[in-house]
Every structure is written in structure tokens, then in C-alpha cells.
Amino acid sequence: HLIDTLKDGQIKFFNPYKLNDPRYDKLPLSIRVLLEAAIRNCDGFYTKQEDVRNILHWQQEQNKAEVPFSPARVLLQDFTGIPAMVDLAAMRDAVAKHGVDPSLVNPKCPTDLIVDHSLQIDYSKWPPSRGGAQCGGQRGSCSKAACSDSPGGSPASVQQIENTPLLCPFHLQPVSEVETALRNQEMELIRNKERLQFFKWCSKAFKNVNVVPPDVGAVHQLNLEYLSRVVQVSDGFIYPDSVVGTDSHTTMINGLGILGWGVGGIESEAIMLGQPISLTLPQVVGCKLVGSINPLTTSIDIVLGITKHLRQAGIAGKFVEFFGPGVSQLSVPDRTTIANMCPEYNATVSFFPVDQVTLKHFKKTSELVTASSYMKAVKLFRSYDDPSEDPQYSEVIEFNLSSMVPYVSGPKRPQDRVAVSSMKEDFQSCLDEKVGFKGFHIAKEKQEIRVPFLHGGQEYQLSHGSVVIAAVISCTNNCNPSVMLTAGLLARKAVEAGLLVKPYIRTSLAPGSGMVTHYLNASGVLPYFNKLGFEVIGYGCATCVGNTAPLPEAVVDAIKQGDLVACGVLSGNRHFEGRLCDCVRANYLASPPLVVAYAIAGTVGVDFEKEPLGLTSDGKEVYLRDIWPSREEVQQIEEDTVFSSIFKDLRGRMEKGNTFWKNVECSDSLLFPWDHKSTYIRSPSFFSKLVKVPPPQSIENAHALLFLGDKVTTDHISPAGSIARVSAAAKYLMSKRLTPREFNSYGARRGNDAVMTRGTFASIKLQNRFIGKPGPKTLHIPSGQTLDVFEAADRYQRDGIPLIILAGKDYGSGNSRDWVAKGPYLLGVRAVIAESFEKLHRNQLVGMGIMPLQFLSGQNADSLELSGKERFSITLPESLSPGQELTVKTSQGKSFSVTALFDSDTDVILFQHGGLLRYVARTLL
Ligand SMILES: *[C@@H]1O[C@H](CO)[C@@H](O)[C@H](O)[C@H]1NC(C)=O
Ligand SMILES: *[C@@H]1O[C@H](CO)[C@@H](O)[C@H](O)[C@H]1NC(C)=O
Ligand SMILES: *[C@@H]1O[C@H](CO)[C@@H](O)[C@H](O)[C@H]1NC(C)=O
């Protein structure tokens, strides 16, 4: 009865207005997205009516109720995609054995799987990303080294940026890199053949799986420009797009009004299998943007300004939703960059509800009319200028965009910031001050000195503050094309107004990558750069490492003659005294358009407000404000030349595919033809004993595999990093005739359950109370031998002895890792008894059919005087209920109570079926 239609009944949707509930209009739009998903997915099992009520009742239930969220799609990278896909392929085998049509096994949630080059890279070398996502070590994405330490030439941010991860959503891959990639492709293909064949099989065999072949683009770029929609349509229903992904840039998508965040591999697999994510109904902080943007500030300044403000506001773990009249001044790239910075301020998401600006960005994709009428009908579209549409937030923080003023920094250190508006006075005071970071100590009577010289047959004058070097560098700026485009448009307008740069100034343009040159050229500004003397001198770091061509001799002589403080202005992020050139004592970092402006002015001693930049050929004064391009102008060009070309490029590569991918052979079979020789892809044994009726779950006479203390993290549990030469996994791989050089990492072998099981609890930091010192060993209790954890587990399994783990507080904290529950399950662990569990890990254990059991408050293994060497029996009642107390009996005649940490009936059912994978398989039987 909540269903409504659009387009004369052709398209259906769930209309929350049919709930007739006045609270809907007060809900933050991000919460409306959660509500719609709950209504649409309300099946009485994973998502119940009560969940819908709780979300609607957000004002009271925020930060209390646990609610489910079923995103519209899942985004996987190859690394995290392999285990999930391998499990589905194995499930096909399992159901086929029972005579069920294997083609029924498909992801329930549409899944985009992006195969990039990361297969070869050891993912564990990358810092774990925040927000629970696993870092896939993706090539082509923005590693800190590649561009995040680059403030786009904006000195305002030099220091801040030190700690800023992953800044740039629109990092463009340099052309030369693409070419190298092509050359490397063949090698890649040979190395990765098995996995590529497997992925290609997945793309053919599964419904709901879209595989993006290698070399199409970086994950976040594909997500922004290719995979995202305002709405999704399936089975005749239209609904808002939303996504969870294993890419650490997933939150970027919230800049487009698409709710989404990063999750671990095991969570994404659960979503693919149809289980929603469970989250505490979030508080939503409204970030109100007011005021207007100072025209001289660049997008990078704005992004960093807002990020800093949010960081100070303390909003960890909450949603941020933007509103207020200032939002419409932010372009889509500004919004996605801010959204990408979430880890900086620990928000779950930074959501920018869909507005006119968003729709404009999507014009490239069709179906926009229907999409916008749907979004308007359910009020997921808004006008930021109309305060009557503002929801009620948990709290509101306000940010006045006018408070951001443009800065440059110098003259000697990047951390000495100077507001552009006070540059003239600041330089004057530097001349006066005694020698130091902010002083040159020039005698009063020498400050007004003018030194004439000849250059190219013409006479010019130099004075203190004269600019002699001006370098627009974008080794750092490819992150945000709008900044370079602003500089280019400024150059164009300057030339059109008849302004020039004095020819003795050493000007240069270092675009950082071929892609930057390409869009500067495509937008028509490159010739104007050239007319002002900014010629492309090459790529990479030129000027900032002192590679400037020498200054004209006459200039050097004039500087020496007057003992002048001559200046360099550049848009890099490193410079410093004497580095540009010995005779240039003052060096300023400025954004690329300001470099152009100071070059035209010919001096840093200029007050742009009061003094003209120069004169037109007929003697009229031209001020900087007269030729500074408007934000709208820049955004339009950015949309037209940069994003449409990225989009066209991606689509072209998508449609063409590439010959390498085309030539990957793969079978058309419904079941995957496992290659028994493969050491990368192997059918996991999760379904080995799949039967129609779940077996009883009581545990009898179990041994403790491990006796652990407090704070055992997912890094201790899950295989990570390189495979030690002396380890259970190494023995296995050597038995397959691999040499240590060929071992590769656990990350790369996560499609092989034999390796991953052997790597479980193989951490050298594991503190096991059975063993005196840290290491991946345990006591095999019946024999008294000390063995690798895997070998002990293997022996127990062969003897038919079930296993449990004893642990202390906070068991399973740390980042989500996809083998963190699968590994223990395959070792034969049936229950973990701990003092407390990390919530996420508790979910993961239940999802694999392992019981999370908690000692009663105040009790632990020591207070109960357990040695860990006794045998444990846990009898389950006929009907288990959430949070029930169970009795553990030991072979020493002791008994104690523990709480079974099942949160809901759904948890109990999943557990009784032996976890999610077997539950899904069994529903098909
Ligand atoms: C924002 O700041 C500017 C300049 O500081 C001020 O003129 C303006 O009134 C402020 N706007 C709001 C809405 O507070
Ligand atoms: C964000 O979380 C991290 C780790 O939990 C913490 O170290 C950091 O201080 C937090 N930052 C903010 C701004 O809350
Ligand atoms: C700029 O574009 C023109 C026309 O498309 C092309 O001929 C020229 O080679 C390009 N220049 C650069 C430097 O890419």
C-alpha cells in the first residue's frame, strides 16, 4: 500500500508520504535514504517493520536503535572480490550436488567488481585504511606519495596536508603511466592469468555481477563517473542509488547525494548474499554553509577550510549532512573532495543531498527526467536556498564561507602564511626586519632603489619585490583541475585585456601529467598560458628542485648591483631559500592563478584591491578582479572538458574492452572449472558437509585451541602480510612446488582457503598463554606438543575433537579482515568464549556460524580458575533465544554460565544454519 507509480504506471516506487507521517519531512535526507531502503527491503527476516518504525522515529531512536541497511549496490576491488566470488562459485557446486539448478546462485545485491592492477601488489604494505575498509593497494588511486601531500599549490594547507590521507578524487592518471601500463600488461596477464580467467568466468556466469576489466580506470573514478546513478531501477522499481564498497575512497560518493561508505570484505560479501549491514541509527550533524566564497580562494582552500572546521567540531562516528545557502556554491568536485576527507574528521559520511548542481553533473547519463521527478516526489531532492526544506538535525554547526581568505606563504618557509590582502605590507615589513625567516634587513635609504637594465634591447627596472621567476607547477595540482583551469582562464582574460608578463621573468608551466596538458589544451587556455610566457617545460618537479633555466645575465647583474630582494613565485609545495636560484632571496608559494597574477604585476609588493595589475595598450587600468574568472565559469569548463572527457574515456574503454581482456580464455559453464593445480584460486570447503537439515549445534568435549589474553586484534587472527618462509602456509606452498620467491602475500592468496587457513593465527605477535612467548604456536593438549596453530587444529580435526578459543577483553578489535572468521571456522573453532567482543567481529563470528560467548560480568578464565587444558561441553537448548545464558561444563567437573551474544532471532537462525553462506545455500535446497 506504499507503492506509487511514475511515467503512467511504468515505474513503481515506495512513497513514504503514504505513511502519512509528519515526521518524514523533518528527517535528514540521509536518514530518508535509510528509510526507503528499509521499506523496500522489509522482508520480516533481515528487515522488519519495527526497523522501519525505528528509522521513522529517528529523533528519539538515534544513537540507540540498531537498524539494517541494504545498499543499492556493492563495489568490490579484485583483492576483496576474490574470496566473495570464490565462495559463490563454491556454492554453485554445492547446490548442484543436491540437484538444484546452480544458476540460481547469484549475488542478491548488484555487484561491481573492478579488476585493476593491484593483483601483484602486496596489499598489506599499504596502511590499513580507516573506517573499516580494507585497503586494496590499488594502483592508479591516490596514494599519499602520489598526490595527497600536494595541496594543489595552495600554501594555506602545506602543514595541514601532512596528515591528510587520500585527498584527490580526480587524480588523473598521467599519460606516460598509461603507456607503461600497456607495455606491462602482457606480463600482468601472464602473472594473473588464473585470477583474470576466474573473474571473466564470474562476469559471464553470475547475474548481478558487473566486472570492469583491467586498465579501464581507478576504482573511485569509475564509481564517480561511470557506475553511479542518481537512482537505480530494477524489477520495475526506482529507488535512490546507494553503495558500500571495499575501496577506501567510497565515501567520496556522498558528494553526489549517494549514501555510501567503506566496509570490510566480509561485510561486503554478506551484503552480496542478501544480508543488510547493521548500524546504530546514526546521529546526523547538519553542517550549515553560509556566506559567499571569496573569489580568490581556490577549491582546494575551500575543501581544506571546511575539513579543518569539521575536524574541530568533533563528529566522530556521525553522519554529516550539508545544508544552507552556501552549498549551491560548491561544485561536484568540491563536494566529493570534502566527502572523501571523512576519515580526517572521522564522520561515517559527509552527505550532500541531490540538488540542481548534482543533476547537472549527471546530465551525461540519460533517464534524468524520471530520476528527478522521483527524487522530487519523495523529497530526496532539495533546493539549498529554501530553508523551509531544512530537516531537523541532531546538532548544527555553521561555517561562514566568507571566513576563508586566500593566502600565500613565504618568503622563506612554507609555514609562514600571509593573507594576499596584506602581502604588500608584509613584504615591506620583511625588508625592515632584521635578518630571519621574516626579515632581510634592508636599510631604509636603500629600500626605494630602482636598478635599470637592458633585456632584448628594451630597458626595464628591478626593485625590491620584483618577480623574476614565476612557475605554475602542477605536480601537485592534477588533483583538482579547477585550480589549473582558473589559472588558465585568468591567463586568457589577461591576454584579452592586453596585459603581458615582462619578458625577463623566467616563466614556466609544469603540468605534472599529460592529462593536465590535455585538458588545458581542450579547454582552449593553453595558448594563453603560452602568450604570457608560461610554456610547458616538461612534466614532473622542475622548478621546485632548482631546475629552472638560468636567469638572464642582465637580471642577475641588476639584482647584485642593487643588492635587491628579488622574488620567485611558484605553485609547488616545496621551495626554499636560494633553492630556486641563489640570487632570488624571497620565494612565495601561491595557488596557480595567483602565480599568474603576480607574474603580470611583476612584483609581490602589490595590493590587488587598490592597485591595477597593469595597463591595457590604450592606457586603461586593469584590476585583478576585472579578469579573475568566476567560479561558475570555471565549473562549466571543468564539467565540459575534464569530466566529460574522463567519462567519455572510461565509457570508451569499457565498451571497447581491451584485447588482453578479450583474449582471456574462460569457460561458459555454469560451474567453475576449478584448476586443481592452482595455488591462487581454490574451492573452499565451507560447503563440504552441507545437508538439508542443519545438524545439532551442541559442543561436546571440546579442547581450547588457544588461550588468549586481552585485546586480540583482527591482525592477530587474520592472515596478513608476507608468508613467512617457516610457516604452515609455506609448507603447503612448497608441497605445491613453489619456491619462497613465488609465495606472494596472504593478500594475493586470499582466494585459496588452504593458504588462508594456515595463515590464521599465524601472527608472530600472537600472545598465547599456553606458550610462554609470542608467536604462532600452540599446545596440542592431548600430546603435550607445541605445534603451529594450524597443525594443532588439523590434528584435533582429524581426531574429531571440536575446538573453542578462550580470550579476554575486546576480542577481535581492529580493522575488518575478510578471513577473520572464515579462518577460525576452517580450523574447526566452534565457539569463542571471551570477556568482551568488538561488535563488528561478533557479527562476523555469527556470520560464519561460530558462537560468540561472553563470560558473565566480573568473571573470566582466571576468576573461574580455568587452566585452558580441560575439555569443554556446551549443550544448547531446543530453542535458542537472543542473549540467552548457557552453561559450560568442564571435564574437571566445573560449570559456569556464559551469555550467547546473539542480537536477534535472525542471528540465531543464521548461527543454527552454520552461518550465512550455508544458510543461503540451504534456502536454495
Ligand atoms: C559571513 O562573514 C562575512 C564576513 O566576515 C559577514 O559579512 C557575513 O555577514 C557573514 N554571514 C553570515 C550569514 O554570518
Ligand atoms: C579519529 O579517530 C582516531 C582513531 O579512532 C583518533 O585517533 C582521532 O583522534 C580521531 N580524530 C578526530 C578528529 O576525532
Ligand atoms: C592541442 O590541441 C590541438 C587541437 O586538438 C592539437 O593539434 C595540439 O597538438 C594540442 N597541443 C598539445 C600541446 O597537446
Side-chain angles (χ1 to χ4, degrees):
H1 60 283
L2 297 180
I3 294 175
D4 220 328
T5 60
L6 274 173
K7 278 176 86 174
D8 301 327
Q10 283 175 42
I11 290 188
K12 291 182 278 191
F13 67 100
F14 286 97
N15 189 347
Y17 281 99
K18 293 202 163 181
L19 293 167
N20 264 328
D21 195 308
R23 288 174 296 190
Y24 184 75
D25 278 331
K26 295 284 170 208
L27 290 180
L29 276 71
S30 46
I31 300 297
R32 294 181 203 178
V33 175
L34 294 182
L35 180 68
E36 192 283 337
I39 294 173
R40 182 163 37 86
N41 292 290
C42 189
D43 58 358
F45 181 63
Y46 289 128
T47 304
K48 305 189 170 79
Q49 287 197 9
E50 191 196 344
D51 298 317
V52 174
R53 273 195 295 271
N54 281 341
I55 300 174
L56 197 55
H57 210 44
W58 173 80
Q59 279 297 351
Q60 280 67 41
E61 292 295 332
Q62 57 180 288
N63 218 8
K64 291 188 203 133
E66 282 291 309
V67 297
F69 175 48
S70 307
R73 59 195 169 90
V74 177
L75 186 66
L76 296 177
Q77 290 162 282
D78 41 25
F79 256 126
T80 40
I82 287 177
M85 288 299 173
V86 163
D87 290 351
L88 281 168
M91 197 187 294
R92 282 204 161 179
D93 295 348
V95 302
K97 260 187 219 136
H98 285 84
V100 173
D101 177 5
S103 72
L104 294 174
V105 174
N106 293 294
K108 291 224 168 62
C109 182
T111 302
D112 293 306
L113 200 152
I114 288 147
V115 183
D116 59 23
H117 275 73
S118 63
L119 290 165
Q120 269 306 111
I121 301 169
D122 179 356
Y123 83 108
S124 63
K125 282 186 191 145
W126 291 70
S129 62
R130 305 183 207 183
Q134 295 210 344
C135 192
Q138 58 280 39
R139 177 184 163 286
S141 92
C142 312
S143 71
K144 193 168 165 75
C147 52
S148 66
D149 60 347
S150 29
S154 170
S157 45
V158 174
Q159 276 168 307
Q160 264 165 285
I161 211 75
E162 284 303 310
N163 308 316
T164 302
L166 311 165
L167 171 64
C168 35
F170 291 103
H171 173 67
L172 305 171
Q173 205 176 31
V175 167
S176 57
E177 227 181 276
V178 173
E179 281 159 6
T180 327
L182 279 173
R183 266 178 256 124
N184 285 334
Q185 233 171 18
E186 208 154 355
M187 270 316 289
E188 293 279 346
L189 183 72
I190 295 162
R191 286 200 206 105
N192 297 307
K193 196 168 143 213
E194 290 169 17
R195 283 164 290 178
L196 292 177
Q197 282 176 335
F198 175 66
F199 282 138
K200 194 157 170 184
W201 175 82
C202 291
S203 71
K204 289 192 188 174
F206 290 118
K207 289 193 202 103
N208 271 348
V209 173
N210 171 36
V211 174
V212 179
D215 280 317
V216 174
V219 179
H220 56 278
Q221 225 170 54
L222 280 159
N223 193 21
L224 282 174
E225 293 293 325
Y226 189 81
L227 303 171
S228 296
R229 302 278 180 273
V230 182
V231 294
Q232 296 286 348
V233 180
S234 79
D235 297 335
F237 276 90
I238 190 169
Y239 49 93
D241 194 9
S242 58
V243 64
V244 294
T246 55
D247 176 36
S248 53
H249 295 285
T250 308
T251 53
M252 191 184 288
I253 208 69
N254 294 279
L256 290 172
I258 295 168
L259 192 66
W261 58 85
V263 295
I266 193 165
E267 285 70 41
S268 60
E269 181 171 342
I271 294 159
M272 283 168 67
L273 294 170
Q275 184 183 30
I277 314 174
S278 167
L279 76 160
T280 307
L281 193 58
Q283 292 177 279
V284 184
V285 177
C287 182
K288 186 173 188 184
L289 300 183
V290 299
S292 47
I293 294 173
N294 179 319
L296 301 195
T297 51
T298 66
S299 285
I300 303 247
D301 298 326
I302 294 163
V303 166
L304 292 172
I306 293 175
T307 304
K308 189 168 161 216
H309 191 71
L310 291 172
R311 183 155 41 182
Q312 285 157 354
I315 42 187
K318 299 175 188 172
F319 279 15
V320 176
E321 185 170 306
F322 284 85
F323 74 113
V327 182
S328 40
Q329 294 171 60
L330 300 183
S331 67
V332 162
D334 296 342
R335 297 175 188 191
T336 50
T337 314
I338 293 167
N340 190 36
M341 300 285 270
C342 270
E344 273 301 281
Y345 40 92
N346 288 351
T348 310
V349 297
S350 267
F351 187 74
F352 288 83
V354 173
D355 72 337
Q356 214 49 55
V357 173
T358 329
L359 290 185
K360 233 171 96 195
H361 182 77
F362 275 110
K363 66 182 178 304
K364 301 183 287 289
T365 49
S366 49
E367 317 129 15
L368 212 57
V369 178
T370 321
S372 76
S373 38
Y374 163 69
M375 295 299 268
K376 283 172 184 165
V378 297
K379 292 231 170 94
L380 282 170
F381 174 94
R382 67 162 304 176
S383 153
Y384 287 105
D385 293 324
D386 182 356
S388 76
E389 291 182 18
D390 291 349
Q392 259 169 16
Y393 293 105
S394 313
E395 64 184 286
V396 169
I397 53 178
E398 192 171 291
F399 186 67
N400 187 339
L401 294 168
S402 325
S403 66
M404 282 177 299
V405 297
Y407 285 93
V408 298
S409 68
K412 301 191 184 182
R413 300 187 307 177
Q415 59 266 47
D416 296 323
R417 301 204 314 169
V418 188
V420 171
S421 56
S422 50
M423 182 68 164
K424 187 171 182 172
E425 297 146 47
D426 191 79
F427 183 73
Q428 183 58 45
S429 95
C430 288
L431 291 181
D432 294 336
E433 286 298 312
K434 63 176 193 300
V435 174
F437 292 125
K438 295 283 286 180
F440 297 103
H441 199 62
I442 304 294
K444 266 283 176 223
E445 68 277 11
K446 290 195 176 158
Q447 289 184 0
E448 297 303 318
I449 193 167
R450 300 252 180 285
V451 184
F453 67 99
L454 280 176
H455 178 83
Q458 275 239 302
E459 188 179 299
Y460 299 95
Q461 286 188 339
L462 284 186
S463 55
H464 293 294
S466 286
V467 172
V468 293
I469 295 174
V472 175
I473 301 168
S474 101
C475 52
T476 57
N477 292 322
N478 35 10
C479 296
N480 200 319
S482 77
V483 180
M484 287 296 277
L485 285 172
T486 306
L489 278 177
L490 179 68
R492 187 175 94 194
K493 288 171 178 248
V495 170
E496 285 167 355
L499 300 179
L500 285 172
V501 171
K502 302 216 169 55
Y504 60 82
I505 299 178
R506 184 64 71 203
T507 43
S508 58
L509 175 63
S513 79
M515 193 69 185
V516 180
T517 317
H518 172 79
Y519 70 67
L520 291 177
N521 195 23
S523 58
V525 298
L526 197 56
Y528 296 96
F529 264 129
N530 295 344
K531 282 199 177 123
L532 291 183
F534 292 95
E535 307 254 5
V536 176
I537 54 161
Y539 300 103
C541 294
T543 311
C544 44
V545 292
N547 294 342
T548 341
L551 293 175
E553 235 164 80
V555 171
V556 177
D557 290 344
I559 294 171
K560 285 187 180 148
Q561 191 191 331
D563 191 23
L564 295 174
V565 180
C567 298
V569 187
L570 68 151
S571 67
N573 60 342
R574 266 175 240 123
H575 65 136
F576 284 89
E577 219 192 336
R579 195 160 173 194
L580 285 186
C581 171
D582 287 342
C583 55
V584 179
R585 281 194 273 169
N587 291 300
Y588 288 93
L589 294 182
S591 67
L594 284 171
V595 170
V596 174
Y598 282 112
I600 296 169
T603 175
V604 298
V606 55
D607 181 341
F608 289 130
E609 270 301 300
K610 303 203 181 93
E611 297 166 68
L613 271 187
L615 303 177
T616 61
S617 45
D618 51 2
K620 274 206 257 102
E621 294 183 333
V622 181
Y623 286 84
L624 184 56
R625 58 178 170 272
D626 301 330
I627 57 168
W628 192 275
S630 74
R631 291 178 53 76
E632 292 71 31
E633 220 173 331
V634 173
Q635 283 164 18
Q636 191 60 50
I637 291 188
E638 193 177 17
E639 283 289 348
D640 292 349
T641 63
V642 183
F643 301 124
S644 61
S645 99
I646 292 180
F647 178 71
K648 248 190 1 228
D649 191 42
L650 288 177
R651 197 176 46 184
R653 292 200 215 184
M654 249 339 238
E655 281 162 9
K656 268 206 309 273
N658 55 53
T659 43
F660 295 107
W661 179 248
K662 274 195 195 128
N663 292 340
V664 173
E665 286 166 23
C666 91
S667 110
D668 286 325
S669 55
L670 283 177
L671 300 178
F672 183 66
W674 304 97
D675 173 358
H676 295 289
K677 291 195 292 295
S678 174
T679 54
Y680 279 106
I681 307 274
R682 210 180 91 115
S683 177
S685 45
F686 298 126
F687 305 101
S688 56
K689 291 175 198 128
L690 188 71
V691 287
K692 280 202 172 118
V693 184
Q697 298 292 328
S698 291
I699 297 174
E700 270 170 59
N701 283 319
H703 265 303
L705 176 64
L706 296 161
F707 189 8
L708 305 171
D710 293 345
K711 290 217 178 287
V712 170
T713 70
T714 51
D715 284 339
H716 296 117
I717 306 171
S718 187
S722 55
I723 297 171
R725 283 171 183 228
V726 181
S727 64
K731 274 185 215 160
Y732 166 82
L733 289 172
M734 283 191 286
S735 79
K736 300 280 170 189
R737 300 177 185 283
L738 296 190
T739 62
R741 281 190 48 185
E742 297 165 307
F743 284 176
N744 215 330
S745 63
Y746 283 113
R749 294 205 179 266
R750 53 169 68 160
N752 182 331
D753 63 306
V755 173
M756 298 308 273
T757 309
R758 285 164 175 80
T760 302
F761 292 111
S763 163
I764 52 166
K765 298 206 183 106
L766 184 73
Q767 297 266 10
N768 179 5
R769 293 173 64 175
F770 285 148
I771 304 292
K773 53 180 201 272
K777 300 278 179 189
T778 197
L779 186 66
H780 180 251
I781 294 160
S783 68
Q785 279 178 298
T786 297
L787 299 173
D788 279 338
V789 176
F790 170 79
E791 275 159 12
D794 191 42
R795 240 198 251 182
Y796 285 124
Q797 289 217 44
R798 274 188 276 136
D799 296 339
I801 298 174
L803 295 171
I804 63 160
I805 287 171
L806 293 172
K809 297 193 186 80
D810 296 331
Y811 183 76
S813 52
N815 284 340
S816 170
R817 303 228 172 271
D818 45 16
W819 276 85
V820 79
K822 288 176 178 175
Y825 172 82
L826 290 181
L827 287 176
V829 174
R830 304 276 309 279
V832 179
I833 308 179
E835 281 177 73
S836 63
F837 290 84
E838 170 80 20
K839 183 174 137 194
L840 189 61
H841 188 53
R842 185 214 68 90
N843 293 344
Q844 293 163 343
L845 291 175
V846 173
M848 274 319 290
I850 298 175
M851 262 195 288
L853 301 175
Q854 188 166 295
F855 288 113
L856 297 187
S857 169
Q859 295 190 342
N860 58 32
D862 292 331
S863 77
L864 293 166
E865 295 178 339
L866 301 177
S867 72
K869 293 179 185 166
E870 47 282 88
R871 299 186 79 163
F872 299 86
S873 296
I874 305 162
T875 309
L876 295 189
E878 280 287 301
S879 69
L880 194 58
S881 50
Q884 188 167 359
E885 278 189 17
L886 301 176
T887 304
V888 183
K889 292 203 171 98
T890 75
S891 52
Q892 306 294 317
K894 252 185 221 142
S895 77
F896 59 95
S897 293
V898 291
T899 311
L901 295 186
F902 298 117
D903 279 358
S904 62
D905 297 337
T906 311
D907 270 3
V908 171
I909 292 169
L910 290 181
F911 163 72
Q912 284 172 336
H913 281 268
L916 182 62
L917 278 168
R918 282 170 297 272
Y919 169 77
V920 171
R922 208 169 275 124
T923 52
L924 291 172
L925 307 189

